[in-house]
Amino acid sequence: MTDLLIIGAGLTGLFAACTAARAGLNVRVIAQGAGTTHWHAGTIDLLGYLPDGRQPVANWMQALGRLPPAHPYRLLGAASIANALDAFQQLAAAAGLPYERAAASIDSPGPSAPSQPIDREDDSRGHFTDIAPGRNGQLISPVGAGRPVFLAPQAQLAASLEDERPFLIIGFNGMTDFYPALIAENLRRQGRAARSASLPLSRLTSRRDHNTIQLARLLDQPAAQEKLIEMVSEAAASGERIGLPAVLGLKLHTRLLAKLNQASSARDRRKTPPGSPLQPSFSLFEIPTLPPSVPGMRLDASLRAQLTRLRVRVEIGMKVCGVRASGRRIEWIETETGSRPLRHTARNYLLATGGILGGGIRGDRCGRVKETVFDLPLTAPQTRSQWLRPLFLDKRGHPVFQGGVPVDTRFRPLGRDGAPVYDNLWAAGSVLAHTDPIRERSREGIAIATGFAAAHSVAKGQ
Amino acid sequence: MKRIQTEILVIGGGATGTGVAWDAALRGFQTVLVEKRDLTHGTTGRYHGLLHSGARYVLKDADSAVECIRENRILRRTHTHCIEDTGGFFIVTPEDEDDYPDRFAAACLRLDIPCDEIPASTALRREPLLNPRISRVFELPDAAADSFLAAHATAQAARQAGALLLPYHELTGLHLSGGDGNRAVSAAAVLNTVTGEELRIDADLVINAAGAWCGQVAALAAVEVNMMLGKGVMLATNARLTNTVINRCKMPGDGDILVPIHTVSVIGTTDQQVSDPENLSIEQWEIDLMLTEGDKLVPGLSRSRILRAWAGVRPLYHEPPPSHDSIHRPAPHPNRRASQLEASPASPASRDATRALALLDHRQRDGLSGFITITGGKWTTFRLMAESAVDAACAQLGVTRPCRTAETPVPGVEQGHYWLGHRLDEVESENQQSDLICECELVTRAMLEGAAQRNPTVTLDDLRRDVRLGMGPCQGGFCTYRAVGVLHQLRSDETAYDSGDWKVAHMQSPAHHHRDGPPADGGPAEHAPAAVPNPRRQSPAIDPSASVSQPNLLLRDFLQERWKGVVPILWGDQLRQERLDELIYLSILNADHLPADEGQSPLSEFYRSGFSYPGSRLT
Ligand SMILES: Cc1cc2nc3c(=O)[nH]c(=O)nc-3n(C[C@H](O)[C@H](O)[C@H](O)COP(=O)(O)OP(=O)(O)OC[C@H]3O[C@@H](n4cnc5c(N)ncnc54)[C@H](O)[C@@H]3O)c2cc1C
């Protein structure tokens, strides 16, 4: 019998599945679609902005107290969030996709650093301790703004805006999803030295499909990698940090990154006049792009690979169409098939279907906002005139996107009476109430921390 | 202050104004046109998209019907590529059955509007989504027309004939000369709304083609023109529901026309009398009414995904009875007396106001020479409106120069009628899939660059009107960022260009731009830090660097512009789509925290205001 059936295969569902499986539970994941991980930047955003806040949050741990009392982070507390993040970092490192503190990047030295994935456990240099816990970093967005990020994949670390070194932003002619001159201009407006260059794609490939995924697949090939290294070395000047669109391979990007870094440090040694200090070599980074996002796809693939190792099945294309509850227990759920509905039975169910973007919540023309699987009570305003604000970029966000499923401290959905609706139903991620993960830049933080907590709540109850 | 001298000054860059500039320039007049925003920013760019056969008005407004069918025939020749020859059905739904259909068919016959009754079953085979309970169907030469493209083509024709077009130039005052008996308009004060520069234009004659703003413009000459403004709301579905224009066969009412335009269908409209031409608010009941009425044409329409809602304001004119003599109609048609068939009430509501054109010769009407107002009418009749206005101008200026527009095709007609697949066909045959900036509307990078280089571009919305950027299901989700990037790149490049050359005939054609454009891979190009815009040729129209240094403003403006039109219809999948746009612009780009960009464009405030929408009672 399945101990935990997770509905939703986004970061929340997949990370909760890993957590629960490691805790010894028998876990399955079903989902209608592949989740939204591969739409996002591949960074772990913890808390970038407070509701109403104009300034980015410098340290999320210190900012927790300014969130609404029912915010999922307030239910968890800083320590359990940190635990969840630790677990995530271990998992990612084990999967060959190490994540590090975005604020730490300026302190991460050593010529060998980029050449091999850093495993947190054998990290003896202890550079994590140098940085205040909870401090966010600022990485570069594809329009050149700062992105408040807590953890980033190795490939994005050198983008840190805290670092004073000049930028060279390199794009490719003909690529529609990356504009180096625009990024460089906005960096200059923030007082950074930055210039841009465009490389001809024709030297890399004769294909004419230049989307991010095609380019990433191309750059998994050694021949294209060599060419790219050559071109980048030609374009760069000594001491520059080089930002490229996040297309450096879907499978082998850490290797390409290491080679590019080696080439650039070799070049720096050549070009640096004798006597002047050596430039740090960790000088090349990826800038995320519009969806589909290669860093997001890498993260998704790594988690899936871990789940395969943990013998957890992830089944996509499963749309829930029926639910049976008796009393305070969910008995089973059914998913659509070409013929009769398929029934799934489990001891516990975790709702990780996401918010309006993921499809876990839907608003209709009459102003009803509904949770799509169990029709759970939501905090969302049930009148269309209360959904949206006149300004798209209003810093306060749009109320319809802020509604969700209220939960208790164990992450069980609450009824109108304030008590859990079911004893064996749990909820985590963007479907939760009292948070607007996109406005707050807390999507991954919410996913990881609440997915982790909910999985542990289930495990404790077993 | 800069001074320009011209013979004819045209106010307004909608269909009518560009038509007047074209006509006047073709007749050899030195012509200048001023438009306070982009061309077609007014009602012309907010209309329903129908080239009328006239049938809609046969029983209610026969003058207008006659004007429409006449112009329908002409525009198919002069503006072929702006028209998709969809044909039109007038359908009798169960609600419509009385004697209207028979009277309708008889009136069409009388007014020489080709009208064939076809079996309902035949109509349903051609349009299977139509209401299966229709009892009778009439087929008429209605068609779908792209008013953006048509105005640009007309503008190019006008420019080729020597006219000077000045978008983003607002008329702020009119100078009057002479005293009682010989009062005349002699010059205009004009403000460049991008640079803030003032301009004086001395003109022999001013033609007021300011649409719904005609009353305001006339007031600058101390003349009273009481416009009757009718606001109408329309909704676009995310796919074409029919390939034929559908009208209900009944007295014109709300929500009884469905027009296939490019990739979407548009249901409309309402008709609410308003006093302010800038009142473009959209009310909950208007959305509900369009969906309810739409279901009567295509059952289930109300459940389809709605992409957007917008409103336009009809520039209708109803001259009070006493001064009736001074309303000039074009030369009498054989059917001129048709108007007597159904008399209109003395002070009708805007739904009942005539759609026939109104020419006000202020010399005769008000004793003010050098000033003519041309208003009323339809998009369909803009050429005729221009003709009668310039005829009147000739009379005032004491010259006889015949109108030539009816025989003069505008640039681009050689492309033939628009057809739905033309962009896809060209994109595929030219292998341009990877150059798409806007996948929804199949806008390539070269099309965007061409549009930005060939007519003044101050906001991305200007490019939307040029090439349909951001008009599809994602409503700018992906292309806003890309367009900003492309524009920024283009404007920091050295290449000199003249954004006022108006070579826009092939603006909508991916293939043409591809052949025209520069090679995709030009070798490694380095961009030095360019704080100062590069020197470039300046068109007289506008300072093309106006938004160069403000890519972030371009971005924010267009996001807000798109938001304004989706808020009223956000639910279901379209609501979800907007959440994806939030993910892109907030989480990935952090566009709400871009550096140092507190500036405003001439349109920023317009995009932010006028929310009385169902979706937003919040502040
Ligand atoms: C809802 C709706 C649906 C319609 N559907 C159809 C249809 O399907 N078919 C059809 O044939 N007709 C249709 N019409 C009618 C048609 O759209 C209008 O008759 C036509 O577009 C009017 O064009 P115009 O050039 O006279 O006015 P506009 O397009 O409004 O042009 C006037 C211009 O003057 C400018 N202006 C104003 N003040 C100043 C100033 N001080 N200085 C400089 N410029 C100034 C404005 O910015 C504006 O661009 C519809 C109208 C509405 C409202």
Side-chain angles (χ1 to χ4, degrees):
Chain A
M1 172 105 164
T2 306
D3 296 319
L4 177 61
L5 180 65
I6 297 176
I7 310 162
L11 184 56
T12 309
L14 297 187
F15 187 62
C18 290
T19 307
R22 284 176 148 191
L25 301 191
N26 182 345
V27 183
R28 271 179 69 209
V29 180
I30 61 167
Q32 186 183 346
T36 56
T37 314
H38 56 279
W39 293 349
H40 200 222
T43 50
I44 307 302
D45 303 358
L46 233 292
L47 181 63
Y49 295 95
L50 290 167
D52 247 349
R54 298 190 134 254
Q55 290 305 314
V57 169
N59 185 317
W60 63 262
M61 280 194 187
Q62 290 162 14
L64 289 187
R66 288 160 66 198
L67 288 171
H71 190 283
Y73 284 165
R74 299 281 301 266
L75 301 181
L76 289 164
S80 39
I81 300 172
N83 280 343
L85 291 168
D86 273 352
F88 171 80
Q89 278 187 292
Q90 283 170 28
L91 186 85
L97 187 69
Y99 275 74
E100 291 180 41
R101 292 282 303 277
S105 57
I106 39 172
D107 307 327
S108 58
S112 66
S115 55
Q116 49 191 243
I118 301 158
D119 202 335
R120 173 108 208 256
E121 280 127 328
D122 10 289
D123 176 25
S124 49
R125 286 163 308 183
H127 60 265
F128 286 88
T129 51
D130 297 338
I131 299 145
R135 193 153 81 77
N136 283 330
Q138 287 275 331
L139 303 184
I140 297 175
S141 92
V143 74
R147 298 184 64 239
V149 170
F150 186 63
L151 298 177
Q154 223 173 40
Q156 294 190 32
L157 289 173
S160 175
L161 282 172
E162 294 161 285
D163 182 338
E164 295 291 317
R165 280 178 293 160
F167 288 104
L168 167 63
I169 310 297
I170 296 183
F172 298 104
N173 286 340
M175 191 180 165
T176 49
D177 281 348
F178 197 73
Y179 296 91
L182 179 60
I183 298 173
E185 172 158 347
N186 272 325
L187 288 172
R188 289 196 295 274
R189 283 171 185 217
Q190 295 164 87
R192 311 296 146 143
R195 62 183 191 108
S196 64
S198 266
L199 305 180
L201 270 177
S202 53
R203 276 179 67 187
L204 281 180
T205 177
S206 56
R207 291 179 68 129
R208 286 186 50 86
D209 42 359
H210 306 151
N211 67 41
T212 48
I213 297 177
Q214 286 302 343
L215 287 173
R217 287 196 183 126
L218 174 75
L219 288 172
D220 275 336
Q221 297 166 15
Q225 295 187 347
E226 293 311 318
K227 272 271 172 256
L228 181 73
I229 292 167
E230 205 179 293
M231 287 158 70
V232 168
S233 302
E234 280 167 26
S238 177
E240 276 178 330
R241 272 186 290 171
I242 301 163
L244 285 156
V247 296
L248 300 181
L250 273 168
K251 298 197 183 100
L252 304 173
H253 80 286
T254 45
R255 230 178 283 168
L256 174 54
L257 205 65
K259 284 197 228 165
L260 278 162
N261 270 312
Q262 265 158 21
S264 84
S265 50
R267 183 211 57 221
D268 274 5
R269 272 194 296 277
R270 269 201 319 278
K271 291 187 186 170
T272 314
S276 62
L278 253 176
Q279 297 291 342
S281 63
F282 205 114
S283 60
L284 202 119
F285 61 92
E286 285 189 328
I287 299 174
T289 64
L290 294 192
S293 152
V294 169
M297 291 172 72
R298 292 178 193 142
L299 174 57
D300 186 64
S302 304
L303 288 168
R304 298 264 206 127
Q306 287 306 98
L307 286 171
T308 307
R309 246 163 262 160
L310 291 163
R311 301 194 180 287
V312 175
R313 266 166 64 202
V314 179
E315 294 158 81
I316 306 292
M318 300 269 210
K319 183 181 181 185
V320 178
C321 60
V323 169
R324 164 71 153 274
S326 73
R328 290 164 53 93
R329 289 193 70 78
I330 302 287
E331 295 283 322
W332 45 253
I333 63 174
E334 284 180 339
T335 55
E336 279 177 8
T337 77
S339 56
R340 63 187 196 287
L342 186 62
R343 190 165 293 179
H344 311 265
T345 314
R347 292 203 174 86
N348 296 282
Y349 300 83
L350 171 61
L351 184 69
T353 45
I356 285 177
L357 181 61
I361 296 176
R362 209 175 154 80
D364 72 13
R365 192 184 138 198
C366 305
R368 281 182 301 249
V369 186
K370 285 192 154 197
E371 186 277 303
T372 53
V373 175
F374 300 101
D375 197 11
L376 295 168
L378 295 179
T379 58
Q382 302 286 333
T383 320
R384 277 218 299 126
S385 60
Q386 302 296 320
W387 280 7
L388 307 162
R389 295 187 196 277
L391 298 188
F392 177 64
L393 295 180
D394 193 310
K395 299 263 188 331
R396 294 166 298 175
H398 303 291
V400 68
F401 296 135
Q402 292 162 346
V405 174
V407 289
D408 66 4
T409 50
R410 297 177 60 208
F411 289 87
R412 286 179 306 179
L414 298 175
R416 306 237 172 267
D417 57 357
V421 193
Y422 302 108
D423 290 333
N424 63 341
L425 178 64
W426 318 78
S430 295
V431 77
L432 296 178
H434 309 295
T435 171
D436 181 345
I438 290 178
R439 286 278 148 178
E440 294 167 1
R441 276 63 157 187
S442 64
R443 261 167 60 86
E444 293 75 21
I446 296 277
I448 290 170
T450 63
F452 186 78
H456 276 297
S457 290
V458 176
K460 247 177 257 163
Q462 275 307 111
Chain B
M1 192 192 302
K2 213 160 102 185
R3 243 173 125 145
I4 299 182
Q5 159 74 43
T6 187
E7 287 172 331
I8 292 184
L9 172 64
V10 187
I11 315 300
T16 312
T18 48
V20 171
W22 177 42
D23 188 315
L26 273 184
R27 294 197 214 194
F29 289 109
Q30 218 187 351
T31 308
V32 175
L33 177 149
V34 294
E35 159 57 52
K36 66 175 176 174
R37 291 164 177 158
D38 186 27
L39 294 192
T40 73
H41 192 281
T43 308
T44 299
R46 300 165 196 281
Y47 89 139
H48 199 160
L50 176 54
L51 175 70
H52 281 282
S53 64
R56 181 169 170 83
Y57 302 117
V58 281
L59 289 178
K60 186 167 185 173
D61 193 349
D63 288 342
S64 175
V66 168
E67 290 172 5
C68 283
I69 186 63
R70 180 180 146 173
E71 290 304 304
N72 180 302
R73 293 183 171 119
I74 294 172
L75 292 182
R76 282 167 188 268
R77 296 193 308 268
T78 58
H79 287 70
T80 318
H81 63 305
C82 310
I83 294 166
E84 178 180 354
D85 190 13
T86 59
F89 286 165
F90 277 67
I91 61 172
V92 181
T93 75
E95 278 182 44
D96 304 330
E97 277 161 284
D98 53 17
D99 63 342
Y100 189 90
D102 289 325
R103 285 165 55 222
F104 167 85
C108 285
L109 187 68
R110 195 164 53 238
L111 300 182
D112 192 26
I113 298 175
C115 170
D116 289 321
E117 179 154 12
I118 61 171
S121 56
T122 308
L124 284 166
R125 260 199 304 281
R126 268 173 53 187
E127 295 297 351
L129 295 188
L130 275 186
N131 187 343
R133 292 167 66 220
I134 52 176
S135 54
R136 301 177 70 181
V137 178
F138 300 91
E139 187 171 12
L140 288 113
D142 292 292
D146 184 329
S147 62
F148 304 120
L149 183 58
H152 281 108
T154 309
Q156 181 175 353
R159 191 184 175 280
Q160 279 176 358
L164 175 64
L165 305 164
L166 301 177
Y168 289 99
H169 280 68
E170 180 171 3
L171 177 79
T172 53
L174 288 169
H175 297 281
L176 307 186
S177 61
D180 271 354
N182 64 344
R183 280 191 314 129
V185 172
S186 57
V190 168
L191 177 75
N192 180 327
T193 56
V194 178
T195 61
E197 209 181 325
E198 284 173 26
L199 192 73
R200 181 187 159 112
I201 303 180
D202 297 301
D204 298 341
L205 191 125
V206 174
I207 299 182
N208 172 13
W213 294 263
C214 273
Q216 295 178 4
V217 167
L220 296 176
V223 168
E224 199 175 330
V225 170
N226 287 315
M227 298 297 297
M228 177 178 292
L229 305 180
K231 184 198 75 183
V233 165
M234 289 143 285
L235 307 180
T237 60
N238 78 327
R240 266 162 82 125
L241 301 175
T242 67
N243 290 311
T244 309
V245 174
I246 310 297
N247 268 268
R248 289 261 294 280
C249 191
K250 65 179 185 66
M251 270 300 171
D254 288 349
D256 53 2
I257 309 181
L258 184 68
V259 186
I261 306 179
H262 295 264
T263 54
V264 306
S265 278
V266 178
I267 179 78
T269 80
T270 51
D271 198 335
Q272 278 297 103
Q273 212 164 317
V274 293
S275 50
D276 177 5
E278 312 247 330
N279 179 345
L280 299 170
S281 63
I282 297 171
E283 303 291 338
Q284 175 75 59
W285 68 264
E286 292 180 292
I287 305 271
D288 290 342
L289 183 64
M290 288 308 99
L291 294 174
T292 313
E293 292 301 304
D295 274 345
K296 295 173 185 167
L297 298 171
V298 170
L301 180 146
S302 63
R303 290 194 302 277
S304 68
R305 175 167 163 183
I306 307 298
L307 293 188
R308 194 173 180 82
W310 70 97
V313 175
R314 293 178 184 81
L316 304 179
Y317 181 74
H318 188 79
E319 186 80 352
S323 47
H324 200 260
D325 294 349
S326 57
I327 305 180
H328 280 248
R329 303 251 186 249
H333 313 297
N335 295 308
R336 181 66 185 83
R337 296 188 60 79
S339 59
Q340 268 75 57
L341 292 175
E342 320 250 324
S344 48
S347 179
S350 55
R351 171 61 77 201
D352 299 317
T354 179
R355 266 62 175 164
L357 67 87
L359 174 72
L360 309 181
D361 185 329
H362 296 290
R363 187 168 72 175
Q364 295 176 21
R365 183 183 183 261
D366 309 289
L368 176 68
S369 55
F371 193 52
I372 288 166
T373 294
I374 179 73
T375 189
K378 304 289 296 175
W379 178 85
T380 305
T381 60
F382 78 86
R383 194 212 57 85
L384 181 62
M385 293 168 72
E387 174 176 344
S388 44
V390 183
D391 279 350
C394 287
Q396 277 210 22
L397 297 171
V399 295
T400 356
R401 296 182 190 173
C403 173
R404 286 169 44 207
T405 52
E407 302 82 47
T408 313
V410 297
V413 286
E414 67 283 358
Q415 297 166 79
H417 278 310
Y418 170 87
W419 62 286
L420 178 58
H422 103 268
R423 281 197 187 182
L424 182 60
D425 182 51
E426 291 188 8
V427 163
E428 290 191 332
S429 56
E430 305 278 329
N431 271 312
Q432 291 187 294
Q433 290 87 341
S434 64
D435 295 324
L436 292 176
I437 297 299
C438 169
E439 280 104 346
C440 304
E441 294 287 346
L442 299 176
V443 180
T444 64
R445 180 194 298 258
M447 284 164 76
L448 201 67
E449 290 177 346
Q453 284 172 315
R454 283 167 179 161
N455 72 115
T457 300
V458 172
T459 69
L460 289 187
D461 196 38
D462 297 348
L463 292 173
R464 175 184 68 85
R465 280 180 286 270
D466 293 346
V467 294
R468 302 185 64 77
L469 180 82
M471 290 180 82
C474 82
Q475 289 287 304
F478 286 77
C479 65
T480 302
Y481 164 69
R482 294 170 179 163
V484 169
V486 169
L487 225 64
H488 177 261
Q489 179 80 67
L490 184 72
R491 288 175 171 182
S492 26
D493 280 352
E494 292 289 337
T495 358
Y497 65 91
D498 179 356
S499 73
D501 76 355
W502 293 98
K503 286 193 188 124
V504 294
H506 295 90
M507 201 158 57
Q508 303 262 352
S509 159
H512 183 89
H513 280 292
H514 180 55
R515 283 193 294 271
D516 234 21
D521 274 349
E526 285 215 353
H527 305 290
V532 200
N534 298 311
R536 59 176 66 78
R537 274 168 67 205
Q538 308 249 322
S539 87
I542 208 137
D543 177 4
S545 67
S547 48
V548 176
S549 53
Q550 293 172 304
N552 304 347
L553 177 58
L554 283 179
L555 186 100
R556 271 200 271 118
D557 262 358
F558 197 51
L559 289 176
Q560 180 60 24
E561 191 279 336
R562 293 284 85 188
W563 178 247
K564 193 172 176 177
V566 294
V567 164
I569 49 79
L570 278 193
W571 60 78
D573 286 336
Q574 201 63 7
L575 181 65
R576 193 176 181 191
Q577 184 79 51
E578 283 303 316
R579 189 60 164 165
L580 176 60
D581 291 358
E582 276 205 342
L583 178 83
I584 294 174
Y585 289 95
L586 305 181
S587 267
I588 300 178
L589 295 174
N590 207 356
D592 54 340
H593 297 90
L594 281 167
D597 234 336
E598 297 302 324
Q600 298 248 335
S601 79
L603 270 309
S604 297
E605 195 43 43
F606 180 83
Y607 301 144
R608 287 178 199 173
S609 58
F611 277 78
S612 65
Y613 290 157
S616 194
R617 291 277 175 258
L618 301 175
T619 50

